[in-house]
Amino acid sequence: MSIYQFYAPTKVVFGKESQKEVGKLIQEQQCKKVLLHYGSNSAKKTGLLDEIETSLKQAGIEYVSLGGVVPNPRLSKVYEGIELCKKESVDFILAVGGGSVIDSSKAIAWGMKYEGDVWDLFSFKGASSGAIPLGCVLTIAAAGSEMSNSCVITNEDGGLKRGHNNDNIRMKFAIMNPELTITLPDYQTACGCVDILMHTLERYFIHGSKMEMTDAIAEGLLRTVIKNSLILKKDPSNYQARAEIMWASSLSHNDLTSFGDDQRDFASHKLEHEIGGMFDVAHGAGLAVVWPSWARYVYLDCLDRFVKFAIDVMEVKVQSSKEKTALLGIATLEEFFVQLDMPITMEELGVNATDQQLRTMANLCALGNKGKIGSAKVLLEEDMYQILKATQKIV
């Protein structure tokens, strides 16, 4: 077996009213000035920002604020944050929100240490030279960015949605109070649940060795998210289900579910990034559209994994052939998306892409990923196009 590393330095503070610990946690970082970074007015309306500001003041911590982060976080906001942080001599960033706010914060933190244009990091033109430290108060369970080393930013110039990974961007702490997610719209909750599943599935469907324990963790996480997603569909205020989903969000993207293998797939994510970059759709909804078409395109190349998934995760009955069992597993997860009121076609997503737009997205995906993506099946540009084309209809 190869040598593997698991690195998860983020301190997690989990539970009701955990946001009240923020002042103490930032004091431990011995910083001088904080950027309080957040998204829409919801953090203000719920009183969360007031609560955090009070905690910072009581701890004697200076801060400046920057709101306005949107889904598919924009490079222009990152530039604005870097400029503000340099002007105010900020040495710590506190993200209050979900994955979009956290990713915007990460890019700003990189930009504070990088001498050139921070977009270089996302376009293979430069390497991260460090970052100022960060922490977060999580309000959306979805991206897992609170415990991951990854960041995804959208460049409005060309609609390019690109990612960059580096361990130097991992959060110093993540405050997780499941109660903060109860006010989310049902659609946003469902999008988050899909994203959590996808972060695990992208590590599950690979070629290569897999440890039995890692598989058991991944499969347990998948079953737990499916179960509790349906509970929240009926009872959005269920605290226990919110807690299960929030913790699964972190575990799905901190590489715990890939320990013991040396590959990732992430083809569905890469393809969705192009849809999100061109049409600005909700990330989780886009993944619900892409994954079934991707799965049906690649399953024969990773058949035993798809059969295992169908039986051990989706709990389907064994069919007369491996192929039929695998396809039933795919269809069962697709039906779960429907139960969550998620789209499963481009049309349901509100996107009417022309053939030229499909080819452009495939081309951009290929160019942005050095020509190929995937592990379950290595996909070239024509494969990417065929999968995107298949998302326009229901099988």
Side-chain angles (χ1 to χ4, degrees), residues 64-174:
V64 292
S65 299
L66 178 63
V69 180
V70 298
N72 299 313
R74 308 297 199 265
L75 181 61
S76 58
K77 182 60 67 174
V78 172
Y79 288 151
E80 184 181 350
I82 294 170
E83 182 179 0
L84 177 62
C85 286
K86 289 182 176 179
K87 177 183 176 182
E88 296 288 340
S89 299
V90 165
D91 58 358
F92 190 91
I93 301 176
L94 178 67
V96 180
S100 294
V101 174
I102 295 173
D103 281 6
S104 183
S105 298
K106 287 179 175 181
I108 293 169
W110 275 324
M112 289 293 289
K113 294 289 187 177
Y114 186 69
E115 293 184 359
D117 184 343
V118 71
W119 184 249
D120 290 350
L121 307 183
F122 299 86
S123 53
F124 305 115
K125 295 179 181 178
S128 169
S129 54
I132 64 172
L134 312 91
C136 71
V137 178
L138 188 65
T139 63
I140 302 172
S145 193
E146 65 276 1
M147 285 191 75
S148 81
N149 70 347
S150 63
C151 170
V152 179
I153 296 295
T154 298
N155 187 339
E156 302 97 308
D157 184 9
L160 299 176
K161 187 175 179 180
R162 296 289 181 263
H164 182 63
N165 295 1
N166 195 304
D167 280 337
N168 64 20
I169 207 65
R170 290 185 185 268
M171 296 277 142
K172 297 298 183 181
F173 63 80

Side-chain angles (χ1 to χ4, degrees), residues 14-19 176-179 239:
F14 194 103
K16 295 180 180 181
E17 300 189 345
S18 54
Q19 68 273 16
M176 302 183 197
N177 177 0
E179 286 186 317
Y239 176 84

Side-chain angles (χ1 to χ4, degrees), residues 46-349:
T46 61
L48 176 60
L49 275 182
D50 287 340
E51 199 170 5
I52 290 172
E53 288 174 352
T54 297
S55 182
L56 295 178
K57 290 173 184 176
Q58 290 176 343
I61 298 168
E62 291 188 53
Y63 66 91
V64 292
S65 299
L66 178 63
V69 180
V70 298
N72 299 313
R74 308 297 199 265
L75 181 61
S76 58
K77 182 60 67 174
V78 172
Y79 288 151
E80 184 181 350
I82 294 170
E83 182 179 0
L84 177 62
C85 286
K86 289 182 176 179
K87 177 183 176 182
E88 296 288 340
S89 299
V90 165
D91 58 358
F92 190 91
I93 301 176
L94 178 67
V96 180
S100 294
V101 174
I102 295 173
D103 281 6
S104 183
S105 298
K106 287 179 175 181
I108 293 169
W110 275 324
M112 289 293 289
K113 294 289 187 177
Y114 186 69
E115 293 184 359
D117 184 343
V118 71
W119 184 249
D120 290 350
L121 307 183
F122 299 86
S123 53
F124 305 115
K125 295 179 181 178
S128 169
S129 54
I132 64 172
L134 312 91
C136 71
V137 178
L138 188 65
T139 63
I140 302 172
S145 193
E146 65 276 1
M147 285 191 75
S148 81
N149 70 347
S150 63
C151 170
V152 179
I153 296 295
T154 298
N155 187 339
E156 302 97 308
D157 184 9
L160 299 176
K161 187 175 179 180
R162 296 289 181 263
H164 182 63
N165 295 1
N166 195 304
D167 280 337
N168 64 20
I169 207 65
R170 290 185 185 268
M171 296 277 142
K172 297 298 183 181
F173 63 80
I175 294 173
M176 302 183 197
N177 177 0
E179 286 186 317
L180 299 179
T181 70
I182 290 176
T183 58
L184 290 173
D186 292 344
Y187 187 80
Q188 197 168 3
T189 295
C191 284
C193 292
V194 172
D195 198 13
I196 295 166
L197 291 175
M198 292 302 108
H199 283 146
T200 306
L201 293 176
E202 301 280 28
R203 294 169 167 88
Y204 188 84
F205 290 112
I206 65 164
H207 282 295
S209 62
K210 293 287 289 186
M211 293 183 69
E212 181 180 346
M213 177 53 68
T214 300
D215 267 352
I217 293 170
E219 290 162 359
L221 190 154
L222 292 166
R223 291 191 300 268
T224 297
V225 171
I226 290 170
K227 172 187 174 182
N228 286 280
S229 298
L230 295 175
I231 291 174
L232 291 178
K233 181 72 166 55
K234 295 180 180 180
D235 181 13
S237 63
N238 188 302
Y239 176 84
Q240 186 60 40
R242 291 279 177 186
E244 298 285 359
I245 294 295
M246 180 168 267
W247 187 225
S249 169
S250 297
L251 298 185
S252 72
H253 206 27
N254 71 352
D255 278 337
L256 179 65
T257 60
S258 61
F259 189 80
D261 65 69
D262 55 3
Q263 300 182 64
R264 311 286 187 278
D265 192 277
F266 278 90
S268 295
H269 265 77
K270 299 292 186 181
L271 291 169
E272 194 287 326
H273 285 173
E274 301 307 329
I275 301 173
M278 185 174 288
F279 296 103
D280 197 25
V281 300
H283 179 54
L287 288 170
V289 169
V290 171
W291 189 85
S293 294
W294 167 84
R296 292 186 175 101
Y297 193 85
V298 309
Y299 80 98
L300 289 175
D301 292 76
C302 200
L303 185 57
D304 287 343
R305 295 299 292 173
F306 274 93
V307 170
K308 181 172 173 55
F309 166 75
I311 296 170
D312 293 343
V313 177
M314 301 315 298
E315 300 177 337
V316 306
K317 292 182 179 179
V318 176
Q319 302 296 296
S320 59
S321 68
K322 286 185 175 182
E323 289 83 355
K324 289 182 179 180
T325 301
L327 287 171
L328 182 56
I330 295 168
T332 304
L333 183 58
E334 186 177 51
E335 177 55 32
F336 164 76
F337 294 157
V338 173
Q339 287 180 273
L340 289 187
D341 296 326
M342 286 283 95
I344 56 172
T345 67
M346 285 273 211
E347 183 179 3
E348 292 177 354
L349 187 61

